[in-house]
């Protein structure tokens, strides 16, 4: 059962106005990830994916990710719109964060803009920010959206949202 969308405040986007199927769009917003005092990624050239009821996932170009931190994982998943995702571990500050990023080496044509960009789960990192605002991870642990104050929900991932 679809929930009643929250009424967006001034300056907010409702995730219930995002399209289905999902889309990807370039963004000039400043995206930054820091862990253990080390900058993992920093860019104003990310791509965000938008899908009904989900906060955006932010895909970062490889050149904006600090070298030497990524290690391939054997984990794979499949998205009906984007194709096969491969996962990545991040080795930072003597710590390994397992399966915390994913990418599409050969995305579907509708998502070609995502090729080799990486998206990161926000929860495991000390700081994930958009335009200087600390994000909240999308609830539930499965999805990788980043919630900021300019979004109105409710957001898929909360208990009971499987059928949204």
């Amino acid at each position: 059962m679809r929930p009643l969308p929250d009424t967006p405040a001034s300056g907010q986007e409702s995730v219930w106005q995002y399209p289905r199927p999902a889309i990807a769009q370039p963004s000039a917003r400043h995206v930054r990830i820091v862990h253990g005092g080390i900058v993992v990624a920093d860019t104003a050239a990310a791509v965000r994916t938008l899908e009904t009821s989900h906060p955006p996932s932010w895909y970062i170009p490889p050149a904006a990710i600090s070298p030497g931190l990524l290690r391939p994982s054997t984990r794979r998943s499949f998205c009906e719109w984007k194709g096969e995702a491969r996962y990545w571990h991040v080795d930072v500050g003597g710590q390994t964060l397992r399966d915390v990023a994913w990418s599409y080496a050969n995305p579907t044509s509708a998502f070609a803009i995502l090729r080799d960009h990486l998206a990161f789960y926000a929860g495991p990192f000390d700081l994930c920010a958009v335009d200087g605002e600390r994000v909240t991870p999308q609830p539930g642990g499965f999805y990788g959206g980043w919630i900021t104050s300019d979004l109105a929900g409710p957001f898929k991932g909360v208990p009971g949202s499987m059928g949204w």
Side-chain angles (χ1 to χ4, degrees):
M1 182 170 142
R2 181 180 165 159
L4 185 64
D6 297 337
T7 301
S10 177
Q12 282 189 317
E13 296 178 344
S14 171
V15 297
W16 291 92
Q17 296 300 313
Y18 289 168
R20 186 168 176 89
I23 62 168
Q25 63 178 208
S27 175
R29 295 182 72 182
H30 183 211
V31 176
R32 184 172 171 88
I33 302 172
V34 179
H35 192 75
I38 297 168
V39 175
V40 174
D42 195 335
T43 188
V47 176
R48 68 182 194 154
T49 56
L50 306 178
E51 179 182 350
T52 305
S53 77
H54 294 261
S57 292
W58 293 86
Y59 288 79
I60 299 171
I65 299 168
S66 295
L69 300 182
L70 296 173
R71 188 165 40 91
S73 168
T74 58
R75 181 176 172 198
R76 301 288 188 268
S77 66
F78 184 79
C79 172
E80 63 186 305
W81 295 302
K82 297 182 235 42
E84 184 182 64
R86 67 181 296 191
Y87 287 76
W88 299 86
H89 307 311
V90 174
D91 293 324
V92 60
Q95 183 180 18
T96 297
L97 305 176
R98 302 185 62 76
D99 295 326
V100 295
W102 68 96
S103 65
Y104 296 90
N106 295 298
T108 62
S109 60
F111 288 89
I113 193 172
L114 297 182
R115 185 175 318 281
D116 297 326
H117 285 51
L118 284 94
F120 294 79
Y121 290 103
F125 295 94
D126 292 341
L127 174 70
C128 291
V130 176
D131 289 340
E133 177 186 348
R134 179 183 297 273
V135 306
T136 299
Q138 183 172 4
F142 177 75
Y143 302 106
W146 292 12
I147 300 171
T148 50
S149 62
D150 60 348
L151 299 175
F155 306 104
K156 185 167 178 103
V158 297
S161 66
M162 185 59 112
W164 293 2

PDB file of all heavy atoms in Angstrom, residues 11-44:
ATOM      1  N   GLY A  11      11.392  24.864  -0.697  1.00  0.00           N
ATOM      2  CA  GLY A  11      12.758  24.472  -1.052  1.00  0.00           C
ATOM      3  C   GLY A  11      13.008  22.979  -1.027  1.00  0.00           C
ATOM      4  O   GLY A  11      14.130  22.544  -1.270  1.00  0.00           O
ATOM      5  N   GLN A  12      11.996  22.179  -0.710  1.00  0.00           N
ATOM      6  CA  GLN A  12      12.156  20.721  -0.680  1.00  0.00           C
ATOM      7  C   GLN A  12      11.631  20.073  -1.956  1.00  0.00           C
ATOM      8  O   GLN A  12      10.713  20.596  -2.598  1.00  0.00           O
ATOM      9  CB  GLN A  12      11.405  20.103   0.504  1.00  0.00           C
ATOM     10  CG  GLN A  12      12.081  20.242   1.827  1.00  0.00           C
ATOM     11  CD  GLN A  12      11.368  19.420   2.889  1.00  0.00           C
ATOM     12  OE1 GLN A  12      10.140  19.405   2.971  1.00  0.00           O
ATOM     13  NE2 GLN A  12      12.148  18.743   3.718  1.00  0.00           N
ATOM     14  N   GLU A  13      12.212  18.921  -2.296  1.00  0.00           N
ATOM     15  CA  GLU A  13      11.717  18.045  -3.347  1.00  0.00           C
ATOM     16  C   GLU A  13      11.030  16.874  -2.672  1.00  0.00           C
ATOM     17  O   GLU A  13      11.545  16.353  -1.682  1.00  0.00           O
ATOM     18  CB  GLU A  13      12.862  17.462  -4.183  1.00  0.00           C
ATOM     19  CG  GLU A  13      13.680  18.422  -4.955  1.00  0.00           C
ATOM     20  CD  GLU A  13      14.821  17.726  -5.707  1.00  0.00           C
ATOM     21  OE1 GLU A  13      15.164  16.562  -5.410  1.00  0.00           O
ATOM     22  OE2 GLU A  13      15.385  18.383  -6.587  1.00  0.00           O
ATOM     23  N   SER A  14       9.905  16.449  -3.220  1.00  0.00           N
ATOM     24  CA  SER A  14       9.266  15.238  -2.715  1.00  0.00           C
ATOM     25  C   SER A  14       9.800  14.046  -3.498  1.00  0.00           C
ATOM     26  O   SER A  14       9.776  14.043  -4.735  1.00  0.00           O
ATOM     27  CB  SER A  14       7.756  15.307  -2.903  1.00  0.00           C
ATOM     28  OG  SER A  14       7.181  14.040  -2.590  1.00  0.00           O
ATOM     29  N   VAL A  15      10.275  13.035  -2.793  1.00  0.00           N
ATOM     30  CA  VAL A  15      10.751  11.834  -3.477  1.00  0.00           C
ATOM     31  C   VAL A  15       9.593  11.110  -4.149  1.00  0.00           C
ATOM     32  O   VAL A  15       9.802  10.246  -4.994  1.00  0.00           O
ATOM     33  CB  VAL A  15      11.527  10.883  -2.536  1.00  0.00           C
ATOM     34  CG1 VAL A  15      12.788  11.570  -2.006  1.00  0.00           C
ATOM     35  CG2 VAL A  15      10.654  10.371  -1.406  1.00  0.00           C
ATOM     36  N   TRP A  16       8.373  11.495  -3.813  1.00  0.00           N
ATOM     37  CA  TRP A  16       7.186  10.902  -4.439  1.00  0.00           C
ATOM     38  C   TRP A  16       6.895  11.527  -5.795  1.00  0.00           C
ATOM     39  O   TRP A  16       6.046  11.040  -6.534  1.00  0.00           O
ATOM     40  CB  TRP A  16       5.998  10.973  -3.485  1.00  0.00           C
ATOM     41  CG  TRP A  16       6.263  10.031  -2.355  1.00  0.00           C
ATOM     42  CD1 TRP A  16       6.865  10.321  -1.166  1.00  0.00           C
ATOM     43  CD2 TRP A  16       6.033   8.636  -2.364  1.00  0.00           C
ATOM     44  NE1 TRP A  16       7.013   9.175  -0.419  1.00  0.00           N
ATOM     45  CE2 TRP A  16       6.502   8.120  -1.129  1.00  0.00           C
ATOM     46  CE3 TRP A  16       5.472   7.751  -3.277  1.00  0.00           C
ATOM     47  CZ2 TRP A  16       6.430   6.777  -0.792  1.00  0.00           C
ATOM     48  CZ3 TRP A  16       5.390   6.408  -2.941  1.00  0.00           C
ATOM     49  CH2 TRP A  16       5.870   5.939  -1.718  1.00  0.00           C
ATOM     50  N   GLN A  17       7.623  12.587  -6.126  1.00  0.00           N
ATOM     51  CA  GLN A  17       7.527  13.182  -7.461  1.00  0.00           C
ATOM     52  C   GLN A  17       8.645  12.680  -8.376  1.00  0.00           C
ATOM     53  O   GLN A  17       8.666  13.001  -9.563  1.00  0.00           O
ATOM     54  CB  GLN A  17       7.584  14.709  -7.373  1.00  0.00           C
ATOM     55  CG  GLN A  17       6.413  15.310  -6.623  1.00  0.00           C
ATOM     56  CD  GLN A  17       5.083  14.971  -7.286  1.00  0.00           C
ATOM     57  OE1 GLN A  17       4.923  15.102  -8.490  1.00  0.00           O
ATOM     58  NE2 GLN A  17       4.124  14.508  -6.488  1.00  0.00           N
ATOM     59  N   TYR A  18       9.578  11.904  -7.837  1.00  0.00           N
ATOM     60  CA  TYR A  18      10.629  11.321  -8.663  1.00  0.00           C
ATOM     61  C   TYR A  18      10.002  10.264  -9.578  1.00  0.00           C
ATOM     62  O   TYR A  18       8.983   9.656  -9.237  1.00  0.00           O
ATOM     63  CB  TYR A  18      11.708  10.676  -7.797  1.00  0.00           C
ATOM     64  CG  TYR A  18      12.601  11.637  -7.035  1.00  0.00           C
ATOM     65  CD1 TYR A  18      13.439  11.159  -6.047  1.00  0.00           C
ATOM     66  CD2 TYR A  18      12.629  12.999  -7.287  1.00  0.00           C
ATOM     67  CE1 TYR A  18      14.282  12.006  -5.338  1.00  0.00           C
ATOM     68  CE2 TYR A  18      13.454  13.857  -6.584  1.00  0.00           C
ATOM     69  CZ  TYR A  18      14.283  13.352  -5.615  1.00  0.00           C
ATOM     70  OH  TYR A  18      15.117  14.192  -4.916  1.00  0.00           O
ATOM     71  N   PRO A  19      10.614  10.016 -10.726  1.00  0.00           N
ATOM     72  CA  PRO A  19      10.008   9.102 -11.703  1.00  0.00           C
ATOM     73  C   PRO A  19      10.214   7.628 -11.380  1.00  0.00           C
ATOM     74  O   PRO A  19      11.069   7.260 -10.583  1.00  0.00           O
ATOM     75  CB  PRO A  19      10.748   9.457 -12.997  1.00  0.00           C
ATOM     76  CG  PRO A  19      12.082   9.936 -12.537  1.00  0.00           C
ATOM     77  CD  PRO A  19      11.832  10.635 -11.225  1.00  0.00           C
ATOM     78  N   ARG A  20       9.404   6.826 -12.012  1.00  0.00           N
ATOM     79  CA  ARG A  20       9.581   5.378 -12.040  1.00  0.00           C
ATOM     80  C   ARG A  20       9.226   4.954 -13.446  1.00  0.00           C
ATOM     81  O   ARG A  20       8.109   5.216 -13.867  1.00  0.00           O
ATOM     82  CB  ARG A  20       8.683   4.692 -11.008  1.00  0.00           C
ATOM     83  CG  ARG A  20       8.968   3.205 -10.916  1.00  0.00           C
ATOM     84  CD  ARG A  20       8.275   2.614  -9.676  1.00  0.00           C
ATOM     85  NE  ARG A  20       8.448   1.181  -9.608  1.00  0.00           N
ATOM     86  CZ  ARG A  20       9.463   0.570  -9.018  1.00  0.00           C
ATOM     87  NH1 ARG A  20      10.387   1.284  -8.433  1.00  0.00           N
ATOM     88  NH2 ARG A  20       9.533  -0.727  -8.989  1.00  0.00           N
ATOM     89  N   PRO A  21      10.127   4.365 -14.224  1.00  0.00           N
ATOM     90  CA  PRO A  21      11.444   3.919 -13.796  1.00  0.00           C
ATOM     91  C   PRO A  21      12.387   5.078 -13.453  1.00  0.00           C
ATOM     92  O   PRO A  21      12.141   6.224 -13.801  1.00  0.00           O
ATOM     93  CB  PRO A  21      11.972   3.132 -14.998  1.00  0.00           C
ATOM     94  CG  PRO A  21      11.197   3.583 -16.166  1.00  0.00           C
ATOM     95  CD  PRO A  21       9.881   4.064 -15.643  1.00  0.00           C
ATOM     96  N   ALA A  22      13.454   4.696 -12.777  1.00  0.00           N
ATOM     97  CA  ALA A  22      14.443   5.655 -12.295  1.00  0.00           C
ATOM     98  C   ALA A  22      15.134   6.373 -13.458  1.00  0.00           C
ATOM     99  O   ALA A  22      15.117   5.904 -14.597  1.00  0.00           O
ATOM    100  CB  ALA A  22      15.488   4.920 -11.450  1.00  0.00           C
ATOM    101  N   ILE A  23      15.765   7.508 -13.135  1.00  0.00           N
ATOM    102  CA  ILE A  23      16.589   8.248 -14.086  1.00  0.00           C
ATOM    103  C   ILE A  23      17.913   8.615 -13.417  1.00  0.00           C
ATOM    104  O   ILE A  23      18.032   8.556 -12.187  1.00  0.00           O
ATOM    105  CB  ILE A  23      15.902   9.528 -14.601  1.00  0.00           C
ATOM    106  CG1 ILE A  23      15.622  10.506 -13.435  1.00  0.00           C
ATOM    107  CG2 ILE A  23      14.624   9.190 -15.379  1.00  0.00           C
ATOM    108  CD1 ILE A  23      15.219  11.902 -13.886  1.00  0.00           C
ATOM    109  N   ALA A  24      18.871   9.012 -14.234  1.00  0.00           N
ATOM    110  CA  ALA A  24      20.153   9.518 -13.730  1.00  0.00           C
ATOM    111  C   ALA A  24      20.354  10.913 -14.301  1.00  0.00           C
ATOM    112  O   ALA A  24      20.077  11.148 -15.481  1.00  0.00           O
ATOM    113  CB  ALA A  24      21.295   8.603 -14.149  1.00  0.00           C
ATOM    114  N   GLN A  25      20.832  11.834 -13.450  1.00  0.00           N
ATOM    115  CA  GLN A  25      21.074  13.194 -13.925  1.00  0.00           C
ATOM    116  C   GLN A  25      22.342  13.759 -13.306  1.00  0.00           C
ATOM    117  O   GLN A  25      22.606  13.556 -12.120  1.00  0.00           O
ATOM    118  CB  GLN A  25      19.878  14.103 -13.645  1.00  0.00           C
ATOM    119  CG  GLN A  25      19.545  14.306 -12.212  1.00  0.00           C
ATOM    120  CD  GLN A  25      18.371  15.249 -11.983  1.00  0.00           C
ATOM    121  OE1 GLN A  25      18.334  15.867 -10.944  1.00  0.00           O
ATOM    122  NE2 GLN A  25      17.423  15.355 -12.884  1.00  0.00           N
ATOM    123  N   PRO A  26      23.136  14.475 -14.120  1.00  0.00           N
ATOM    124  CA  PRO A  26      24.344  15.117 -13.587  1.00  0.00           C
ATOM    125  C   PRO A  26      23.974  16.167 -12.548  1.00  0.00           C
ATOM    126  O   PRO A  26      22.891  16.762 -12.606  1.00  0.00           O
ATOM    127  CB  PRO A  26      24.976  15.784 -14.812  1.00  0.00           C
ATOM    128  CG  PRO A  26      24.254  15.276 -16.003  1.00  0.00           C
ATOM    129  CD  PRO A  26      22.941  14.740 -15.538  1.00  0.00           C
ATOM    130  N   SER A  27      24.873  16.394 -11.612  1.00  0.00           N
ATOM    131  CA  SER A  27      24.648  17.389 -10.577  1.00  0.00           C
ATOM    132  C   SER A  27      25.945  18.140 -10.302  1.00  0.00           C
ATOM    133  O   SER A  27      27.024  17.549 -10.283  1.00  0.00           O
ATOM    134  CB  SER A  27      24.173  16.719  -9.284  1.00  0.00           C
ATOM    135  OG  SER A  27      24.060  17.681  -8.257  1.00  0.00           O
ATOM    136  N   ALA A  28      25.819  19.433 -10.057  1.00  0.00           N
ATOM    137  CA  ALA A  28      26.977  20.256  -9.691  1.00  0.00           C
ATOM    138  C   ALA A  28      27.076  20.443  -8.176  1.00  0.00           C
ATOM    139  O   ALA A  28      27.927  21.193  -7.696  1.00  0.00           O
ATOM    140  CB  ALA A  28      26.892  21.615 -10.384  1.00  0.00           C
ATOM    141  N   ARG A  29      26.229  19.748  -7.417  1.00  0.00           N
ATOM    142  CA  ARG A  29      26.292  19.861  -5.957  1.00  0.00           C
ATOM    143  C   ARG A  29      27.586  19.224  -5.446  1.00  0.00           C
ATOM    144  O   ARG A  29      28.114  18.293  -6.051  1.00  0.00           O
ATOM    145  CB  ARG A  29      25.066  19.226  -5.325  1.00  0.00           C
ATOM    146  CG  ARG A  29      23.792  20.008  -5.720  1.00  0.00           C
ATOM    147  CD  ARG A  29      22.562  19.467  -5.103  1.00  0.00           C
ATOM    148  NE  ARG A  29      22.532  19.772  -3.664  1.00  0.00           N
ATOM    149  CZ  ARG A  29      21.560  19.366  -2.858  1.00  0.00           C
ATOM    150  NH1 ARG A  29      20.554  18.650  -3.328  1.00  0.00           N
ATOM    151  NH2 ARG A  29      21.597  19.670  -1.576  1.00  0.00           N
ATOM    152  N   HIS A  30      28.071  19.725  -4.318  1.00  0.00           N
ATOM    153  CA  HIS A  30      29.342  19.261  -3.756  1.00  0.00           C
ATOM    154  C   HIS A  30      29.107  18.013  -2.907  1.00  0.00           C
ATOM    155  O   HIS A  30      28.413  18.064  -1.894  1.00  0.00           O
ATOM    156  CB  HIS A  30      29.965  20.374  -2.926  1.00  0.00           C
ATOM    157  CG  HIS A  30      31.295  20.015  -2.363  1.00  0.00           C
ATOM    158  ND1 HIS A  30      31.746  20.509  -1.170  1.00  0.00           N
ATOM    159  CD2 HIS A  30      32.285  19.208  -2.814  1.00  0.00           C
ATOM    160  CE1 HIS A  30      32.948  20.024  -0.914  1.00  0.00           C
ATOM    161  NE2 HIS A  30      33.295  19.228  -1.900  1.00  0.00           N
ATOM    162  N   VAL A  31      29.684  16.908  -3.326  1.00  0.00           N
ATOM    163  CA  VAL A  31      29.553  15.627  -2.635  1.00  0.00           C
ATOM    164  C   VAL A  31      30.912  15.271  -2.040  1.00  0.00           C
ATOM    165  O   VAL A  31      31.936  15.312  -2.734  1.00  0.00           O
ATOM    166  CB  VAL A  31      29.074  14.526  -3.609  1.00  0.00           C
ATOM    167  CG1 VAL A  31      29.039  13.171  -2.928  1.00  0.00           C
ATOM    168  CG2 VAL A  31      27.707  14.885  -4.173  1.00  0.00           C
ATOM    169  N   ARG A  32      30.904  14.914  -0.760  1.00  0.00           N
ATOM    170  CA  ARG A  32      32.171  14.641  -0.053  1.00  0.00           C
ATOM    171  C   ARG A  32      31.977  13.458   0.888  1.00  0.00           C
ATOM    172  O   ARG A  32      30.960  13.366   1.586  1.00  0.00           O
ATOM    173  CB  ARG A  32      32.579  15.884   0.720  1.00  0.00           C
ATOM    174  CG  ARG A  32      33.908  15.815   1.429  1.00  0.00           C
ATOM    175  CD  ARG A  32      34.233  17.213   1.974  1.00  0.00           C
ATOM    176  NE  ARG A  32      35.379  17.225   2.833  1.00  0.00           N
ATOM    177  CZ  ARG A  32      36.637  17.372   2.434  1.00  0.00           C
ATOM    178  NH1 ARG A  32      36.907  17.512   1.162  1.00  0.00           N
ATOM    179  NH2 ARG A  32      37.622  17.382   3.303  1.00  0.00           N
ATOM    180  N   ILE A  33      32.991  12.580   0.923  1.00  0.00           N
ATOM    181  CA  ILE A  33      33.010  11.440   1.842  1.00  0.00           C
ATOM    182  C   ILE A  33      34.346  11.463   2.579  1.00  0.00           C
ATOM    183  O   ILE A  33      35.401  11.569   1.948  1.00  0.00           O
ATOM    184  CB  ILE A  33      32.856  10.101   1.084  1.00  0.00           C
ATOM    185  CG1 ILE A  33      31.546  10.081   0.285  1.00  0.00           C
ATOM    186  CG2 ILE A  33      32.921   8.925   2.056  1.00  0.00           C
ATOM    187  CD1 ILE A  33      31.414   8.893  -0.645  1.00  0.00           C
ATOM    188  N   VAL A  34      34.280  11.353   3.913  1.00  0.00           N
ATOM    189  CA  VAL A  34      35.479  11.359   4.750  1.00  0.00           C
ATOM    190  C   VAL A  34      35.367  10.214   5.746  1.00  0.00           C
ATOM    191  O   VAL A  34      34.288   9.948   6.294  1.00  0.00           O
ATOM    192  CB  VAL A  34      35.623  12.701   5.510  1.00  0.00           C
ATOM    193  CG1 VAL A  34      36.858  12.692   6.404  1.00  0.00           C
ATOM    194  CG2 VAL A  34      35.669  13.878   4.540  1.00  0.00           C
ATOM    195  N   HIS A  35      36.489   9.538   5.983  1.00  0.00           N
ATOM    196  CA  HIS A  35      36.512   8.488   7.011  1.00  0.00           C
ATOM    197  C   HIS A  35      37.889   8.461   7.660  1.00  0.00           C
ATOM    198  O   HIS A  35      38.907   8.465   6.977  1.00  0.00           O
ATOM    199  CB  HIS A  35      36.187   7.121   6.408  1.00  0.00           C
ATOM    200  CG  HIS A  35      35.912   6.094   7.451  1.00  0.00           C
ATOM    201  ND1 HIS A  35      34.732   6.057   8.167  1.00  0.00           N
ATOM    202  CD2 HIS A  35      36.677   5.085   7.941  1.00  0.00           C
ATOM    203  CE1 HIS A  35      34.769   5.058   9.017  1.00  0.00           C
ATOM    204  NE2 HIS A  35      35.951   4.465   8.918  1.00  0.00           N
ATOM    205  N   GLY A  36      37.904   8.438   8.982  1.00  0.00           N
ATOM    206  CA  GLY A  36      39.171   8.401   9.713  1.00  0.00           C
ATOM    207  C   GLY A  36      40.058   9.586   9.393  1.00  0.00           C
ATOM    208  O   GLY A  36      41.275   9.464   9.393  1.00  0.00           O
ATOM    209  N   GLY A  37      39.447  10.726   9.099  1.00  0.00           N
ATOM    210  CA  GLY A  37      40.210  11.924   8.764  1.00  0.00           C
ATOM    211  C   GLY A  37      40.745  11.945   7.344  1.00  0.00           C
ATOM    212  O   GLY A  37      41.430  12.893   6.953  1.00  0.00           O
ATOM    213  N   ILE A  38      40.441  10.924   6.554  1.00  0.00           N
ATOM    214  CA  ILE A  38      40.929  10.824   5.169  1.00  0.00           C
ATOM    215  C   ILE A  38      39.775  11.100   4.213  1.00  0.00           C
ATOM    216  O   ILE A  38      38.687  10.530   4.353  1.00  0.00           O
ATOM    217  CB  ILE A  38      41.524   9.427   4.908  1.00  0.00           C
ATOM    218  CG1 ILE A  38      42.746   9.230   5.818  1.00  0.00           C
ATOM    219  CG2 ILE A  38      41.897   9.243   3.438  1.00  0.00           C
ATOM    220  CD1 ILE A  38      43.252   7.807   5.863  1.00  0.00           C
ATOM    221  N   VAL A  39      40.035  11.960   3.232  1.00  0.00           N
ATOM    222  CA  VAL A  39      39.026  12.241   2.218  1.00  0.00           C
ATOM    223  C   VAL A  39      38.969  11.050   1.262  1.00  0.00           C
ATOM    224  O   VAL A  39      39.954  10.705   0.616  1.00  0.00           O
ATOM    225  CB  VAL A  39      39.343  13.541   1.448  1.00  0.00           C
ATOM    226  CG1 VAL A  39      38.349  13.748   0.306  1.00  0.00           C
ATOM    227  CG2 VAL A  39      39.337  14.732   2.393  1.00  0.00           C
ATOM    228  N   VAL A  40      37.828  10.403   1.223  1.00  0.00           N
ATOM    229  CA  VAL A  40      37.612   9.262   0.336  1.00  0.00           C
ATOM    230  C   VAL A  40      37.209   9.752  -1.044  1.00  0.00           C
ATOM    231  O   VAL A  40      37.689   9.243  -2.067  1.00  0.00           O
ATOM    232  CB  VAL A  40      36.534   8.311   0.916  1.00  0.00           C
ATOM    233  CG1 VAL A  40      36.187   7.192  -0.056  1.00  0.00           C
ATOM    234  CG2 VAL A  40      36.991   7.750   2.262  1.00  0.00           C
ATOM    235  N   ALA A  41      36.334  10.743  -1.100  1.00  0.00           N
ATOM    236  CA  ALA A  41      35.861  11.285  -2.374  1.00  0.00           C
ATOM    237  C   ALA A  41      35.440  12.729  -2.178  1.00  0.00           C
ATOM    238  O   ALA A  41      34.960  13.111  -1.108  1.00  0.00           O
ATOM    239  CB  ALA A  41      34.693  10.464  -2.896  1.00  0.00           C
ATOM    240  N   ASP A  42      35.606  13.523  -3.247  1.00  0.00           N
ATOM    241  CA  ASP A  42      35.253  14.931  -3.198  1.00  0.00           C
ATOM    242  C   ASP A  42      35.010  15.396  -4.626  1.00  0.00           C
ATOM    243  O   ASP A  42      35.914  15.324  -5.457  1.00  0.00           O
ATOM    244  CB  ASP A  42      36.383  15.738  -2.562  1.00  0.00           C
ATOM    245  CG  ASP A  42      35.967  17.136  -2.157  1.00  0.00           C
ATOM    246  OD1 ASP A  42      35.005  17.677  -2.736  1.00  0.00           O
ATOM    247  OD2 ASP A  42      36.610  17.691  -1.258  1.00  0.00           O
ATOM    248  N   THR A  43      33.773  15.839  -4.914  1.00  0.00           N
ATOM    249  CA  THR A  43      33.463  16.226  -6.294  1.00  0.00           C
ATOM    250  C   THR A  43      32.291  17.183  -6.360  1.00  0.00           C
ATOM    251  O   THR A  43      31.434  17.200  -5.478  1.00  0.00           O
ATOM    252  CB  THR A  43      33.147  14.987  -7.165  1.00  0.00           C
ATOM    253  OG1 THR A  43      33.037  15.392  -8.527  1.00  0.00           O
ATOM    254  CG2 THR A  43      31.874  14.297  -6.719  1.00  0.00           C
ATOM    255  N   ALA A  44      32.253  17.953  -7.427  1.00  0.00           N
ATOM    256  CA  ALA A  44      31.086  18.746  -7.803  1.00  0.00           C
ATOM    257  C   ALA A  44      30.616  18.279  -9.185  1.00  0.00           C
ATOM    258  O   ALA A  44      30.021  19.035  -9.934  1.00  0.00           O
ATOM    259  CB  ALA A  44      31.420  20.228  -7.809  1.00  0.00           C
TER     260      ALA A  44
END
